[in-house]
């Protein structure tokens, strides 16, 4: 099974190769860095080839970012990158020292030393290529590569960073380049759950979840993995495991659909409170009306999520309802009120006391009745659905915010996700 | 005068070029980094070409060193360098941001970007060369180079550091490579004094001091400049100015002797409490006795400072007195007691309640009676001299520690150094 990843290296008898990524809470102090080293040593002792990717100490990146912003709100992204990349540089060196202290052959690698080449989009750079030649050679000598996450080198010969949470992306990209058998993401949760355990006591940890489902969950607010890293894992077929750095037990594998034998219809229930609803009443129902509404919002860099258009009784007017994030709510209303004459709507009504609840599962692609079960479960609890939107593997509804917990629990039970 | 430095650039009409180095207390927080930027801007506005060298924020390097030591007392010097160099990386980026925020064209440079090439002696690397091509080009465009001090890149393509206080050395080396007209070292004192102002209220700040005198002062405990940086400045004829980053007034220029028109006989009085005295009584007086005593101490990596050998009355035995640093005192005694049979001395007596007081001045090379004035001044205060050692530009005496202040004040007055 270790060799079943789509991109794993050809040939039998080769050692299992693992990328292990540790987040900021996992390297937050010297004691935890020693624990990381001990965890890595176990994989080395098992005969595996190991690359370790580390984040900065928890809180350190925030401190560095705050200093940049304090000096200048509009600071040079190239200097920002130089400053914040220091956090991962420190933990990479410290982790190498910790490994050496327990007899593990290890050395640190900074983005520019590998090199991990990116484009020149400082602050949110994209990885263009990773030269793994030096790693291959040193793996053969039994050396562990400790890689500073989040950073690379741009075409301008300066340090770049990959955007917040970029160490996940570093790890998955490295796993793809090394054709690793697995990319273990160690974090402060022990895996991906069927829903938020803080709301549903019976939430279950998933043994496996598909890339597509993980992507939907990440988009819908589950902050386990950075979206970009999941996209990259899907594209390159990297088997990702999310697991706890504090507990010693298996986590959740993020894999291709064909690796999951018995796929549940629904894998999880997600919710997002970061929603606000706007309705334009009695907009003239003519071709191009949607473009005339959403064009100005797009120009103002406001992202629109769910959209519903009702046909009016007289066939001349329509009501247009959509959601934006709470942060864009006031600005969206101002933009639209400013266009009231040209858009020619009757009135604008809005509501920010809403929550988006979503049911996610690749199984729903081939099964009917999934949506119906959702609507029925909510109706039985007396919860009114305000807006519905669907994708191939997701159904989202907008309901009043006060029903958040009730709706999530009802759906978790309705789809048979409750732990026994 | 700006062009009078031995190595300053040929030709008239060229812009004055300055290297400005700011120590850890000068960049200790965002407010002070802004003050540094304002100070740099004044030189830029005056039409000068400027390179800035920064240390890490005060205390930060100590924190990083402590983490390395906590993980492993015998840590890999290459990883240590990777970790501790992050401190200067952070301040270099922040200082560039601060300069840009007030309209100064600036960019940060890390050791590996310049490159500032060193040998592979990680943790205490020596500078092999600095490629200043990129700087020359950017000076012409009016850009300030903000250089991370203390760091370089070794032949192994890894970060090296120059040893504690290495940012002074970075600054002087950069000034030499750039043929800068001046290297300003901004620190938390406002210059070099005739003696420690905490002991002598009438201590005067020197306008100028020679490299040789500065070297003696640095060796004798005045912690204004790192010894290596003074040696390098002397070798390359770099005009160094030591001045305060908190007060706006001229500091002390460290220059060649020929730049000082009226050289005082004595420039300063230094003292060091880090001395301990050992006497071996009645050692056989035969050829090679000194080698047999100091060989074992050298093998134990113990540095011996002042040495006095008295001829005994019978001509067969001699008493050998010398000093070591207090940190080596106990170990030195153990080494010698262990060799008692082969060295064949009668007894070992020791005293760590001693202080070394020194009179420094290049003027004494050409004047007689300097030493005599010292001995007379001390005798008048009833201070007994235990050991004397002299160099071309320095006379040091060892006296009982309790006389430290009295001796320093008496000598400061005796050589006419008191401020009026």
């Amino acid at each position: 099974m270790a060799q079943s990843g789509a991109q794993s290296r050809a040939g039998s008898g080769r050692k299992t190769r693992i990328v292990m990524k540790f987040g900021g809470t996992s390297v937050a102090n010297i004691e935890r860095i020693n624990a990381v080293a001990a965890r890595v040593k176990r994989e080395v002792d098992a005969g595996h080839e190991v690359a370790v990717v580390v984040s900065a100490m928890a809180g350190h990146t925030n401190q560095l970012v705050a200093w940049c912003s304090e000096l200048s709100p509009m600071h040079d992204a190239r200097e920002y990158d130089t400053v914040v990349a220091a956090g991962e540089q420190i933990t990479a060196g410290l982790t190498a020292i910790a490994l050496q202290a327990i007899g593990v052959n290890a050395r640190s690698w900074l983005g520019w030393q590998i090199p991990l080449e990116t484009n020149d989009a400082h602050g949110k750079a994209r990885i263009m290529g990773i030269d793994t030649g030096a790693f291959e050679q040193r793996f053969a000598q039994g050396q562990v590569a400790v890689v500073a996450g989040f950073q690379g080198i741009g075409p301008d010969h300066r340090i770049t960073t990959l955007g917040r949470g970029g160490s996940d992306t570093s790890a998955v990209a490295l796993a793809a380049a090394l054709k690793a058998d697995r990319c273990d993401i160690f974090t402060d949760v022990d895996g991906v759950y069927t829903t938020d355990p803080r709301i549903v006591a019976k939430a279950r940890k998933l043994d496996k979840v598909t890339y597509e489902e993980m992507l939907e969950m990440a988009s819908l607010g589950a902050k386990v993995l950075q979206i970009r890293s999941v996209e990259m894992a899907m594209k390159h077929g990297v088997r990702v495991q999310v697991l706890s750095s504090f507990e010693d037990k298996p986590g959740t594998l993020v894999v291709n659909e064909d690796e999951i034998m018995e796929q549940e219809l629904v894998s999880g229930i997600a919710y997002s409170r970061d929603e606000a609803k706007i309705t334009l009443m009695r907009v003239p129902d003519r071709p191009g009306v949607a473009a005339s509404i959403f064009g100005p919002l797009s120009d103002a860099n406001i992202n629109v999520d769910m959209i519903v258009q009702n046909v009016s009784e007289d066939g001349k007017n329509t009501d247009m309802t959509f959601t934006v994030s709470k942060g864009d709510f006031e600005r969206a209303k101002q933009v639209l009120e400013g266009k009231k004459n040209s858009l020619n709507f009757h009135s604008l009504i809005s509501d920010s006391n809403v929550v988006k609840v979503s049911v996610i599962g690749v199984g729903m692609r081939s099964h009917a009745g999934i949506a119906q079960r959702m609507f029925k479960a909510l109706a039985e609890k007396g919860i009114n659905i305000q807006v519905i939107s669907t994708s191939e593997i997701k159904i989202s509804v907008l309901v009043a915010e006060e029903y958040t917990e009730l709706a999530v629990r009802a759906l978790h039970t309705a789809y048979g996700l409750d732990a026994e």
Side-chain angles (χ1 to χ4, degrees), chain A:
Chain A
M1 194 180 85
Q3 294 291 332
S4 69
Q7 296 287 322
S8 61
R9 290 161 305 137
S12 60
R14 294 195 64 176
K15 286 185 171 182
T16 298
R17 184 174 288 178
I18 307 174
V19 173
M20 305 172 77
K21 184 260 172 180
F22 294 90
T25 53
S26 307
V27 292
N29 55 45
I30 297 301
E31 187 187 345
R32 290 190 183 170
I33 289 174
N34 275 323
V36 162
R39 187 71 190 73
V40 170
K41 185 175 192 295
R42 274 173 41 198
E43 301 294 347
V44 173
D45 289 346
H48 302 331
E49 294 176 344
V50 182
V52 178
V53 176
V54 289
S55 299
M57 290 177 169
H60 194 204
T61 303
N62 288 342
Q63 173 65 80
L64 296 173
V65 171
W67 281 337
C68 291
S69 299
E70 194 179 338
L71 283 167
S72 171
M74 297 290 290
H75 46 257
D76 184 342
R78 296 166 297 190
E79 302 300 348
Y80 165 93
D81 281 351
T82 300
V83 172
V84 298
E88 282 74 13
Q89 177 171 328
I90 292 168
T91 47
L94 293 177
T95 304
I97 290 173
L99 282 165
Q100 292 172 356
I102 54 173
V104 176
N105 181 2
R107 79 153 269 193
S108 66
W109 293 88
L110 306 177
W112 58 271
Q113 289 174 325
I114 299 172
L116 186 153
E117 289 173 349
T118 73
N119 64 7
D120 62 359
H122 282 277
K124 50 180 195 301
R126 296 194 74 82
I127 298 173
M128 307 308 281
I130 304 178
D131 184 343
T132 58
F135 294 150
E136 294 287 351
Q137 195 185 345
R138 285 152 185 272
F139 282 151
Q141 297 160 5
Q143 188 175 80
V144 171
V146 182
V147 176
F150 180 57
Q151 63 180 249
I153 182 165
D156 54 1
H157 200 57
R158 300 189 69 175
I159 295 174
T160 52
T161 64
L162 310 178
R164 295 310 292 266
S167 289
D168 286 352
T169 306
S170 299
V172 173
L174 187 61
L178 289 171
K179 302 198 190 314
D181 299 287
R182 206 172 68 232
C183 179
D184 285 350
I185 308 279
F186 290 84
T187 179
D188 48 6
V189 296
D190 63 356
V192 180
Y193 276 74
T194 49
T195 194
D196 185 346
R198 290 169 301 182
I199 287 188
V200 182
K202 290 181 172 176
R204 279 191 294 117
K205 190 177 75 184
L206 294 163
D207 293 332
K208 291 186 180 181
V209 66
T210 68
Y211 297 121
E212 293 86 348
E213 290 165 334
M214 194 67 234
L215 268 183
E216 289 287 0
M217 290 180 188
S219 315
L220 293 167
K223 295 192 173 39
V224 179
L225 284 177
Q226 205 206 15
I227 293 176
R228 260 171 78 193
S229 67
V230 182
E231 287 171 348
M232 187 176 286
M234 182 161 68
K235 183 175 169 194
H236 296 283
V238 175
R239 292 161 55 84
V240 172
Q241 182 179 203
V242 176
L243 68 175
S244 168
S245 53
F246 304 113
E247 293 175 70
D248 188 21
K249 56 185 186 186
T252 300
L253 269 175
V254 189
V255 292
N256 260 327
E257 202 173 337
D258 56 17
E259 275 204 62
I260 303 181
M261 293 287 284
E262 290 193 280
Q263 181 65 49
E264 305 273 356
L265 292 181
V266 163
S267 295
I269 316 294
Y271 67 94
S272 165
R273 289 191 162 104
D274 184 27
E275 306 282 329
K277 184 181 71 168
I278 296 175
T279 302
L280 298 185
M281 302 295 289
R282 298 200 4 227
V283 187
D285 190 7
R286 52 173 171 74
V289 62
S292 64
I293 293 170
F294 299 119
L297 292 175
S298 172
D299 292 345
N301 212 18
I302 294 169
N303 210 26
V304 173
D305 180 15
M306 309 169 85
I307 301 176
V308 177
Q309 183 176 349
N310 296 328
V311 178
S312 56
E313 287 176 14
D314 59 4
K316 288 182 185 165
N317 293 298
T318 184
D319 299 337
M320 186 75 83
T321 298
F322 55 89
T323 61
V324 297
S325 72
K326 280 195 164 74
D328 290 335
F329 186 44
E330 290 305 324
R331 215 151 47 83
K333 287 193 288 186
Q334 283 166 18
V335 167
L336 293 168
E337 292 286 7
K339 295 271 176 185
K340 186 164 184 182
N341 288 338
S342 63
L343 291 176
N344 202 21
F345 58 84
H346 180 263
S347 61
L348 181 156
I349 57 176
S350 63
D351 183 5
S352 64
N353 290 318
V354 289
V355 64
K356 181 169 69 173
V357 179
S358 305
V359 168
I360 298 157
V362 293
M364 68 175 69
R365 277 201 293 245
S366 50
H367 283 78
I370 305 286
Q372 179 53 27
R373 198 188 299 187
M374 181 180 202
F375 304 150
K376 184 160 169 283
L378 295 175
E380 281 173 5
K381 299 292 180 186
I383 302 171
N384 185 43
I385 297 173
Q386 302 179 11
V387 182
I388 301 170
S389 87
T390 61
S391 79
E392 256 203 322
I393 65 163
K394 176 200 74 176
I395 309 159
S396 296
V397 298
L398 203 69
V399 301
E401 191 171 13
E402 58 188 339
Y403 292 113
T404 307
E405 291 81 1
L406 185 63
V408 170
R409 286 182 198 128
L411 294 171
H412 200 262
T413 302
Y415 289 102
L417 294 172
D418 291 352
E420 283 162 24

